[in-house]
Amino acid sequence: MTIAAKIQTEAEDGFARSFAQAGFGATQRAAFERFARAGLPTRRLESWHYSDLRGKLRAAPPLAATPGPDDLLFARAERDLRAAPETLKLVLLDGVFCADLSDQSGALSGLRIRALASLPSADPAAILLAELAALAEDPLLDLNAAFARDGVVIEIAEGAQIAQPIEILALCGATGAQSRFSRNLVCLGAGAKASLLETRAEGVGGFGDSALFLALGLGAELDYACRSEGGAPVDVQNIVARLDEQAQLRAAALVTDAPFLRRQWSILCRGENAEVQLSGAALLSQQNHADTTLTMTHDAPSCVSRETFKYVLADQANGVFQGRIVVPPHAQKTDGKMMCRGLLLSDDASMSVKPELEIFADDVACGHGAACAKLDAAQIFYMESRGVPKPQAQAILIEAFASETFDILHDDFLREILQADLARILATGVFA
Amino acid sequence: MLDIQNLHVRIAGKTIIDGLNLKVDAGQVAAIMGPNGSGKSTLSYVIAGRADYEVTEGSIKLDGVDLLDKTPAERAALGIFLSFQYPLEIPGVATMTFLKAALNAQRRARDEGEMSTPDFMKKVRAAAARLNISQDMLKRAVNLGFSGGEKKRMEILQMALLEPRFAILDEMDSGLDIDALRVCSEGVNALRSPERGLLVITHYQRLLDYIAPDVVHVMSAGKIVRSGGPELALELEKSGYADYASEAA
């Protein structure tokens, strides 16, 4: 296919200028060149058909500067406001790992925390990250690879069981309208087990393009909960995961107050009997736009994947879900199921769903489903007839609808954090 | 207690209730019998406040308070309770969460303050035991996967918890076997009191063997066409509703 020459947008020009001024090395230059060739994705690109990033990102905000005292002060307050209790907190400030605002990991054996910028290029973690980065292709991942200077690298040693949940807090400094890029790695050795909470609140302004790479060794288990609230005006979250044999990944997300958010997952099961459970609940109002796009590749026999995504859409909000399950010929006995459900609270809200199955093996069980509906008036009347006022009845139904997606998490702590957030969001009355 | 005057109700342009008058006094059990399509269930929904009905004329008052300008939840807080013919299943909502939300919403509306969790649990357990409702049923989502009999027992449990001033039982006997009918009826009879009114809607006299009415009304084509004592129900059982279709017309 030939790509018609496009006129460079102001944002693309801006990124090119920023890149030229920043003086990055060869690897980053190669990534930027890939990005520059593709440009910001237009709606003509099938995987970006429902999210017009090129139209939305009018200009490239300047790269976030090194945080100053005001930024630290601002981020400290945000951290204290947003962080969950009793977690090991690791703060990314404008995409840069900030040790001053983070907890010390010394007490936890089997856990190693480093800043990405401190990694020598020959470090095994750096090599692993490069391997994982090669698994997914997307202009925004290239843009991230081009600009990200730092992030946090979390390594969990073989057999280590980290009981304390680890929390990555992605915060922004006092200056809002900046471009933030971070590149993070969570690596679990064979048999390791951990819980990861990601709290994202970079929403003062600007543009965010983050990447999280997950590597799960043989039999490793990771529970991962992401809460994304108050995102940047344009925010892209890339997650790339690779699972070895018998590894288990359970990942749930709660998204709200997202002006324009794209979460894109690329998951590869490369060992037999690996299990992936992905879910997400998005509560969107006003002109919010949240897009979850995922590719789940079963690259080994007998792997299991479940994807369940739910959207609650009020006002003129827009939900997008694109899910693709890929099963190559050798991945016999694959068991994959994908479901997306939308709850439309307003006639002006919209939901776009595109499930895809690419199956080349003959002995597999794969399925997908999608449904959109309004709240059930009969159920609401039933509750009202018992004395529950209508707004509360609606909130109870929405909570039941959305919180089901958290059930995949084995870690009660993470589940309760998401449930508490959901209850708080519903108590604002925006959705009922 | 409940006083309905000259009630006219339409749905989608079609008149369902056409000049109905009905009074039920405190302490009284009134039965409404009538053929299919006579407007019995519509009447129960209109009293409870379901939205899709258009009341074009008339009034419904409980203890002198006009209900028609009240929301369903406000009516419930004033003491109206409807036991549904087909109780709704609400997946994902735990029964206990639902019961507590209902009880406390009504208490808040009446400025009575919320009930503490231990008191609430005690109250639910006691009421559940009387109705043969297991702890397992209480742990499930509201009515989800319940049998017809279990759903009806859950309705009576809600009635026992909410202690309404006036309860409407819409075809409580439909979908019930004889044992479940007895358990539900005993539950209802335990709630009979001089302060509480009951309106029992049914097709069959059988239910009235268990819940003995003080008055029986016959409803046809959207109005009450005859009223009498308990013997009227027995008469209907023999003669059927054929006579009343012509009276209404």
Side-chain angles (χ1 to χ4, degrees):
Chain A
M1 190 182 84
T2 54
I3 297 170
K6 283 181 295 198
I7 296 165
Q8 196 141 305
T9 66
E10 195 184 326
E12 287 163 344
D13 279 341
F15 285 127
R17 278 196 303 276
S18 293
F19 191 81
Q21 284 161 12
F24 287 116
T27 314
Q28 290 183 285
R29 182 165 300 278
F32 189 79
E33 281 166 5
R34 282 197 305 276
F35 165 76
R37 272 197 300 276
L40 285 167
T42 71
R43 295 190 56 207
R44 286 186 194 169
L45 196 63
E46 197 184 336
S47 61
W48 284 88
H49 182 68
Y50 300 101
S51 292
D52 187 10
L53 186 90
R54 192 181 173 88
K56 196 76 190 171
L57 192 66
R58 309 300 269 184
L63 293 186
T66 308
D70 284 353
D71 298 313
L72 283 168
L73 209 63
F74 181 82
R76 190 182 297 277
E78 278 285 285
R79 178 198 65 182
D80 295 344
L81 184 73
R82 308 258 187 183
E86 293 157 30
T87 55
L88 180 83
K89 293 166 199 28
L90 304 171
V91 174
L92 297 169
L93 178 47
D94 287 327
V96 174
F97 179 53
C98 183
D100 288 350
L101 295 180
S102 300
D103 293 336
Q104 300 298 314
S105 63
L108 296 167
S109 80
L111 178 66
R112 188 177 187 199
I113 313 273
R114 288 183 288 173
L116 178 71
S118 73
L119 254 56
S121 58
D123 191 283
I127 294 166
L128 174 63
L129 198 148
E131 268 176 45
L132 294 171
L135 296 176
E137 271 180 31
D138 184 83
L140 272 297
L141 261 172
D142 288 330
L143 191 67
N144 172 278
F147 281 108
R149 288 168 297 163
D150 196 22
V152 63
V153 174
I154 303 170
E155 290 164 282
I156 297 156
E158 198 176 308
Q161 314 270 314
I162 310 296
Q164 186 181 14
I166 301 163
E167 181 173 14
I168 297 177
L169 283 135
L171 306 174
C172 61
T175 317
Q178 298 183 322
S179 290
R180 288 176 286 272
F181 300 92
S182 74
R183 215 160 161 78
N184 308 285
L185 172 67
V186 178
C187 161
L188 284 84
K193 195 174 172 185
S195 292
L196 176 68
L197 175 64
E198 186 182 16
T199 300
R200 304 200 64 88
E202 293 182 324
V204 170
F207 167 63
D209 183 12
S210 66
L212 173 64
F213 297 92
L214 307 172
L216 279 69
L218 169 73
E221 269 186 67
L222 178 67
D223 266 22
Y224 161 43
C226 176
R227 41 188 190 159
S228 181
E229 183 168 356
V234 178
D235 192 14
V236 181
Q237 300 170 16
N238 303 277
I239 308 129
V240 178
R242 187 182 74 188
L243 285 81
D244 289 346
E245 204 175 320
Q246 292 172 33
Q248 294 183 21
L249 170 64
R250 294 175 287 269
L254 175 59
V255 169
T256 193
D257 188 12
F260 184 94
L261 170 67
R262 162 95 160 192
R263 294 192 92 226
Q264 41 185 10
W265 274 92
S266 180
I267 310 122
L268 178 81
C269 286
R270 69 166 185 180
E272 286 187 35
N273 296 303
E275 276 188 39
V276 175
Q277 298 211 47
L278 290 187
S279 70
L283 281 85
L284 308 173
S285 62
Q286 299 172 343
Q287 281 99 38
N288 276 191
H289 175 102
D291 169 344
T292 296
T293 293
L294 68 90
T295 303
M296 171 73 237
T297 306
H298 289 252
D299 201 22
S302 306
C303 294
V304 177
S305 75
R306 295 284 179 275
E307 296 85 29
T308 309
F309 286 82
K310 295 193 175 180
Y311 291 75
V312 179
L313 302 160
D315 308 329
Q316 296 90 43
N318 194 13
V320 178
F321 174 77
Q322 304 183 97
R324 189 159 94 233
I325 300 179
V326 181
V327 185
H330 57 275
Q332 300 294 359
K333 307 286 181 195
T334 288
D335 176 359
K337 284 192 182 64
M338 185 160 60
M339 174 54 111
C340 177
R341 293 176 67 195
L343 194 53
L344 298 166
L345 303 179
S346 131
D347 290 342
D348 299 323
S350 70
M351 179 78 218
S352 307
V353 184
K354 193 179 72 176
E356 292 171 276
L357 302 175
E358 281 182 25
I359 303 173
F360 298 99
D362 51 16
D363 185 13
V364 301
C366 281
H368 65 75
C372 276
K374 293 182 172 184
L375 281 170
D376 185 331
Q379 288 178 341
I380 290 175
F381 173 62
Y382 185 64
M383 287 200 267
E384 285 186 275
S385 78
R386 299 307 185 242
V388 182
K390 194 171 183 179
Q392 194 189 347
Q394 290 190 2
I396 289 173
L397 289 180
I398 294 170
E399 188 167 3
F401 174 78
S403 71
E404 194 197 0
T405 59
F406 311 148
D407 290 348
I408 59 157
L409 296 169
H410 286 194
D411 186 329
D412 295 342
F413 175 84
L414 294 184
R415 210 169 45 236
E416 281 160 18
I417 292 278
L418 294 184
Q419 264 156 358
D421 272 16
L422 176 62
R424 179 178 49 76
I425 293 161
L426 290 172
T428 61
V430 170
F431 297 94
Chain B
M1 171 152 262
L2 187 78
D3 186 1
I4 302 179
Q5 295 284 340
N6 192 31
L7 187 69
H8 289 72
V9 177
R10 285 198 306 195
I11 183 164
K14 191 181 167 202
T15 300
I16 307 289
I17 292 180
D18 192 13
L20 181 136
N21 295 293
L22 177 69
K23 269 188 189 177
V24 183
D25 294 331
Q28 202 177 48
V29 175
I32 292 190
M33 301 182 73
N36 290 324
S38 56
K40 304 189 300 297
S41 287
T42 297
L43 176 64
S44 69
Y45 284 140
V46 171
I47 298 171
R50 202 167 110 170
D52 28 6
Y53 296 99
E54 186 193 351
V55 176
T56 53
E57 217 181 320
S59 66
I60 304 177
K61 288 181 178 170
L62 179 70
D63 299 326
V65 178
D66 192 354
L67 296 182
L68 289 175
D69 59 354
K70 303 277 189 290
T71 66
E74 286 167 346
R75 296 179 199 204
L78 286 169
I80 294 287
F81 178 89
L82 168 62
S83 166
F84 281 56
Q85 184 180 357
Y86 303 108
L88 274 290
E89 295 187 355
I90 312 181
V93 178
T95 299
M96 292 302 260
T97 307
F98 168 65
L99 295 177
K100 198 163 182 221
L103 184 69
N104 281 332
Q106 290 204 18
R107 290 177 67 95
R108 274 196 306 273
R110 294 193 293 253
D111 293 324
E112 291 170 0
E114 294 197 358
M115 186 179 270
S116 73
T117 302
D119 286 349
F120 168 74
M121 297 298 284
K122 214 187 289 175
K123 199 171 162 117
V124 175
R125 286 211 186 96
R130 281 195 295 275
L131 290 158
N132 283 347
I133 290 174
S134 65
Q135 290 302 306
D136 174 59
M137 264 173 77
L138 293 173
K139 281 180 191 153
R140 281 146 64 182
V142 178
N143 290 325
L144 194 68
F146 286 19
S147 70
E150 286 173 331
K151 284 180 183 169
K152 292 298 171 80
R153 275 187 280 151
M154 193 55 83
E155 293 292 285
I156 306 306
L157 173 74
Q158 292 174 37
M159 180 176 158
L161 282 177
L162 298 172
E163 301 174 281
R165 296 266 299 128
F166 190 87
I168 307 152
L169 308 174
D170 187 9
E171 300 201 22
M172 191 190 85
D173 48 339
S174 71
L176 284 189
D177 62 32
I178 294 167
D179 293 329
L181 182 58
R182 186 178 45 75
V183 171
C184 285
S185 302
E186 282 169 3
V188 173
N189 285 328
L191 294 167
R192 288 179 79 151
S193 89
E195 294 81 38
R196 181 171 290 138
L198 275 177
L199 185 62
V200 181
I201 294 175
T202 183
H203 285 291
Y204 303 108
Q205 193 272 333
R206 184 182 64 168
L207 175 64
L208 305 180
D209 287 341
Y210 293 91
I211 304 173
D214 301 305
V215 203
V216 174
H217 301 283
V218 181
M219 188 167 174
S220 180
K223 57 179 84 159
I224 302 293
V225 292
R226 196 173 159 198
S227 302
E231 70 288 345
L232 181 55
L234 293 167
E235 187 190 315
L236 286 169
E237 190 79 5
K238 285 192 195 118
S239 61
Y241 294 114
D243 297 348
Y244 299 101
S246 54
E247 270 182 51

